[in-house]
């Protein structure tokens, strides 16, 4: 019985070990393909030498720097250009140094030290080995349906594959989707005879491809040699004919309606890209980016381009797109609609208007109080509106008036607030002061983001026996008339900045003070407009 239990335990342990060797639990996907810069077009790049035996075919460029030896071509063939210790090879080596540093610095998701990669199925992630790594058999890389899947293998010392090993892709992965498979090897990489290898090899020292091995991805030896023997090697740029840069964009922030916005683009992963970036701006409601309201095409400066400022219209959510033109060495690239949104916010449009208000007292005792009549009340809106109050037909008493009207009208874009007030006629008959008569009085106040304006029109104004205005007149702002105890301010204009920027226009402001006997304060046709949140 004890023996049977022992066998069961050992059998279960064997199954568990096999399962662990075949499938690794999916870590959080954190891998980012390092930018290869100008090296992206090189299928083979050595530092000391590049040596070949047999009918190797290199699809892409081949280079060496700072060494000078390229041996074995022919019989080997290169579909691109051989760069021997020239500026392009030197720059490519510098870019590979940057890529190695980038790849080595990514946080490790899963440590596979001491495990053979053969038989494993790995999701996208960063995998690390504390020393060497071995591949015997087949390694499967499963993208799990993610078109942007990427794998980075960080190997501290050396990478070795057995003969006839393979790296295969599944789950929608392709070997040349933005150079998405990276083998960062601290020292040397050796790929065994007949192996079908996939991914860019970034070796700190050297790369060796044994007889009959093939690879999709560049072979980069940063300080040593690349050695080949009857191989088929293709950089991802060589496999597709061009590098596949990625375009990332950064739109400007939110602005008020009428403000300016812009977009900028950055290309990564290309082969020294040139050309232009076409920026297109789409207005609110165009969620599919069908019809641009503005376009700008600007040349690349290095790997960046900027649209420059574009003035917005009405409030809403705007969308940018950016399209890189591509060139002889780089494929075109596009930022998708909806990835670059800018919110344009509306102005706050406010105002108030009333026909007449009055207070009067005699010997300190109140004679009358007329609240603002009719009164729109304070208006505050981001939208286009009109808020007319019904005109008041008649006011009677010590202050009589007819056809008093008030209105506030707002326009969302271009932002404007206009207040108007009018009175057909008014008569003031209060003991101890001269009678005051006026006819056809109107005030207007308009505010936009460029400023405020106001006007007053008066057809007739008389105080006692003095006719102040006898025909239709537009008095200058803040015209003052003093007739004994009666003080008049015609077209009284009062600008203000708190809480918003605006202007109050009182068509006629009547003030009376008779040695403490009578005090009168009357405002006829008051219009106030203001606006907030201008660009």
């Amino acid at each position: 019985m004890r023996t049977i239990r022992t066998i069961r335990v050992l059998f279960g342990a064997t199954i568990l070990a096999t399962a662990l060797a075949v499938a690794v639990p999916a870590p959080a996907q954190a891998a980012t393909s390092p930018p290869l810069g100008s090296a992206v077009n090189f299928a083979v790049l050595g530092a000391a030498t590049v040596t070949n035996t047999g009918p190797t075919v290199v699809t892409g460029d081949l280079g060496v720097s700072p060494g000078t030896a390229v041996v074995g071509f022919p019989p080997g063939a290169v579909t691109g250009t051989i760069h021997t210790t020239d500026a392009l090879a030197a720059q490519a080596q510098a870019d590979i140094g940057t890529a190695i540093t980038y790849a080595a610095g990514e946080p490790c998701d899963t440590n596979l030290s001491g495990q053979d990669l053969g038989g494993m199925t790995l999701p996208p992630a960063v995998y690390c080995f504390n020393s060497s790594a071995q591949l015997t058999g087949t390694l499967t890389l499963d993208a799990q349906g993610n078109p942007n899947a990427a794998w980075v293998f960080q190997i501290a010392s050396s990478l070795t594959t057995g003969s006839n090993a393979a790296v295969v892709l599944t789950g929608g992965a392709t070997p040349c989707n933005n150079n998405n498979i990276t083998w960062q090897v601290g020292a040397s990489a050796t790929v065994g005879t007949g192996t079908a290898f996939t991914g860019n090899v970034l070796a700190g020292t050297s790369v060796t491809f044994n007889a009959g091995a093939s690879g999709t991805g560049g072979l980069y030896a940063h300080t040593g040699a690349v050695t080949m023997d009857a191989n088929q090697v293709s950089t991802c740029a060589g496999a597709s004919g061009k590098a596949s840069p990625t375009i990332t964009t950064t739109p400007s922030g939110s602005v008020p309606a009428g403000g300016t916005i812009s977009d900028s683009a950055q290309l990564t992963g290309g082969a020294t890209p040139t050309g232009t970036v076409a920026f297109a701006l789409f207005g609110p409601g165009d969620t599919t980016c069908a019809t641009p309201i503005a376009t700008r095409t600007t040349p690349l400066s290095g790997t960046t381009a900027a649209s420059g400022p574009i003035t917005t219209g009405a409030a809403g959510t705007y969308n940018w797109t950016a399209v890189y033109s591509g060139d002889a060495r780089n494929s075109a690239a596009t930022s998708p609609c909806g990835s670059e949104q800018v919110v344009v916010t509306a102005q706050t449009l406010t105002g108030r208007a009333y026909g007449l208000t009055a207070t009067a007292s005699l010997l300190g005792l109140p004679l009358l109080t007329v609240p603002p009549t009719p009164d729109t009340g304070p208006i505050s809106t981001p939208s286009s509106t009109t808020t007319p109050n019904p005109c008041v037909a008649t006011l009677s008493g010590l202050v009589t008036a007819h056809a008093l009207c008030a209105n506030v009208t707002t326009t969302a874009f271009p932002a404007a607030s206009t207040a108007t007030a009018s009175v057909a006629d008014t008569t003031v008959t209060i003991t101890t002061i001269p009678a005051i008569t006026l006819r056809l009085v109107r005030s207007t106040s308009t505010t936009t983001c460029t400023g405020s304006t106001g006007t007053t029109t008066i057809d007739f104004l008389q105080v006692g026996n003095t006719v102040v205005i006898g025909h239709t007149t537009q008095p200058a702002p803040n015209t003052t008339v003093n007739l004994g105890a009666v003080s008049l301010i015609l077209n009284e204009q009062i600008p203000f900045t708190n809480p918003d920027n605006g202007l109050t226009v009182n068509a006629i402001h009547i003030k009376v003070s008779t040695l403490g006997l009578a005090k009168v304060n009357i405002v006829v046709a008051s219009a106030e407009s203001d606006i907030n949140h201008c660009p």
Side-chain angles (χ1 to χ4, degrees):
M1 190 68 175
R2 185 175 301 168
T3 301
I4 293 174
R5 286 177 180 169
T6 302
I7 291 173
R8 286 176 178 170
V9 171
L10 290 175
F11 180 69
T14 300
I15 292 174
L16 177 60
T18 301
L20 289 174
V22 172
V24 174
Q29 182 180 344
T32 303
S33 298
L36 299 179
S38 60
V40 73
N41 272 343
F42 284 82
V44 174
L45 181 64
T49 62
V50 173
T51 302
N52 171 64
T53 301
T56 290
V57 176
V58 175
T59 304
D61 290 352
L62 180 149
V64 63
S65 179
T68 59
V70 175
V71 179
F73 295 91
V78 178
T79 65
T81 303
I82 295 178
H83 298 272
T84 304
T85 325
D86 62 9
L88 284 177
Q91 183 59 53
Q93 274 291 5
D95 290 343
I96 286 302
T98 301
I100 289 173
T101 301
Y102 186 104
E106 294 193 49
C108 177
D109 292 317
T110 301
N111 193 311
L112 298 178
S113 296
Q115 301 183 55
D116 193 316
L117 288 165
M120 288 188 178
T121 297
L122 300 180
V126 178
Y127 299 94
C128 55
F129 293 82
N130 295 338
S131 56
S132 61
Q134 177 73 33
L135 169 58
T136 305
T138 299
L139 168 63
T140 301
L141 303 180
D142 183 1
Q144 300 179 336
N146 180 0
N148 298 311
W151 293 261
V152 173
F153 295 90
Q154 299 169 341
I155 301 167
S157 58
S158 61
L159 167 65
T160 304
T161 80
S163 297
N164 301 311
V167 178
V168 299
L169 307 179
T170 189
T174 59
C176 286
N177 181 16
N178 197 29
N179 291 283
N180 57 337
I181 303 166
T182 302
W183 301 84
Q184 181 265 313
V185 183
S188 298
T190 302
V191 175
T193 301
T195 292
F197 198 76
T198 302
N200 292 313
V201 180
L202 278 58
T205 305
S206 63
V207 179
T208 299
F209 259 42
N210 286 318
S214 63
T216 300
L219 310 183
Y220 306 109
H222 192 45
T223 61
V226 176
T227 303
M228 294 174 288
D229 183 358
N231 306 125
Q232 299 284 328
V233 178
S234 173
T235 179
C236 278
S240 63
K242 293 184 178 182
S244 299
T246 298
I247 188 168
T248 55
T249 52
T250 305
S252 57
S254 178
V255 297
T260 59
I261 60 177
S262 61
D263 194 19
S264 62
Q266 171 79 50
L267 290 176
T268 56
T272 316
T274 59
T276 60
V277 175
F279 296 93
L281 180 64
F282 300 86
D286 191 353
T287 57
T288 60
C289 299
T291 306
I293 61 173
T295 59
R296 297 286 188 275
T297 299
T298 59
L300 277 176
S301 176
T303 58
T304 63
S307 68
I310 294 178
T311 302
T312 62
T317 299
Y318 289 68
N319 281 286
W320 284 103
T321 62
V323 179
Y324 168 55
S325 63
D327 59 20
R329 300 167 67 88
N330 296 274
S331 298
T334 303
S335 66
C337 179
S339 65
E340 306 176 67
Q341 295 186 336
V342 177
V343 175
V344 173
T345 55
Q347 279 79 40
T348 301
L349 310 166
T350 57
R352 183 182 182 184
Y354 57 85
L356 181 147
T357 184
T359 59
S361 63
L362 184 64
L363 298 175
L365 300 175
L367 288 178
L368 83 157
T369 299
V370 180
T373 304
D375 185 8
T376 64
I379 303 300
S380 180
T381 178
S383 307
S384 295
T385 60
T386 184
T387 55
N389 276 27
C391 294
V392 174
T394 301
L395 283 177
S396 59
L398 298 177
V399 176
T400 63
H402 298 90
L404 303 92
C405 302
N407 174 272
V408 174
T409 298
T410 60
T411 302
F413 187 82
S417 174
T418 299
T420 58
S422 62
V423 178
D425 62 76
T426 299
T427 301
V428 180
T429 54
I430 298 176
T431 304
T432 74
I433 69 171
I436 302 172
T437 303
L438 53 90
R439 290 193 294 271
L440 297 180
V441 177
R442 179 183 175 89
S443 67
T444 300
S445 173
T446 299
T447 298
T448 68
C449 282
T450 60
S452 299
T453 59
T455 60
T456 290
T457 302
I458 304 171
D459 268 20
F460 181 83
L461 172 60
Q462 181 174 341
V463 179
N465 295 320
T466 302
V467 176
V468 179
I469 293 176
H471 57 84
T472 301
T473 301
Q474 289 188 337
N478 301 307
T479 297
T480 302
V481 178
N482 293 310
L483 298 170
V486 178
S487 174
L488 305 174
I489 304 176
L490 310 180
N491 192 17
E492 182 179 42
Q493 297 197 7
I494 308 170
F496 55 88
T497 58
N498 186 33
D500 307 325
N501 295 315
L503 178 68
T504 298
V505 179
N506 299 320
I508 302 175
H509 190 172
I510 304 169
K511 297 180 181 180
V512 179
S513 181
T514 57
L515 300 176
L517 297 177
K519 290 187 177 181
V520 177
N521 188 48
I522 301 173
V523 173
V524 180
S526 179
E528 172 191 308
S529 65
D530 41 322
I531 195 168
N532 190 23
H533 195 53
C534 283

